[in-house]
Amino acid sequence: MQWEFKILVFDDLDKAEKELNQWGRKGWQVAAAGYSSDLFQHGYLVTLQRPLDPDRYPLPR
């Protein structure tokens, strides 16, 4: 199975929730999430994933 990934960074959890709900409607699911307090980048990092062939490999609901 092949996957497509996207990495998103948010500084506000309310904005993150709204945008992640929109991505979820497009067939994406959260693969990993965490908080970064790096010197160069602060915020919530979220990795999204979806199969390249969603008809053959549907995501669990």
Side-chain angles (χ1 to χ4, degrees):
M1 178 184 319
Q2 293 183 326
W3 295 88
E4 181 178 6
F5 293 92
K6 290 192 181 293
I7 298 173
L8 306 174
V9 179
F10 300 99
D11 59 357
D12 181 273
L13 282 178
D14 291 329
K15 291 179 185 176
E17 183 179 13
K18 289 176 186 175
E19 187 165 336
L20 291 173
N21 283 334
Q22 292 174 0
W23 282 103
R25 288 185 205 104
K26 297 176 186 175
W28 291 84
Q29 69 180 12
V30 173
Y35 181 76
S36 172
S37 60
D38 190 302
L39 288 173
F40 302 105
Q41 186 171 9
H42 300 278
Y44 301 92
L45 288 96
V46 179
T47 303
L48 301 176
Q49 70 179 18
R50 73 173 175 183
L52 288 177
D53 187 0
D55 294 329
R56 186 170 176 194
Y57 303 105
L59 293 174
R61 298 285 172 196

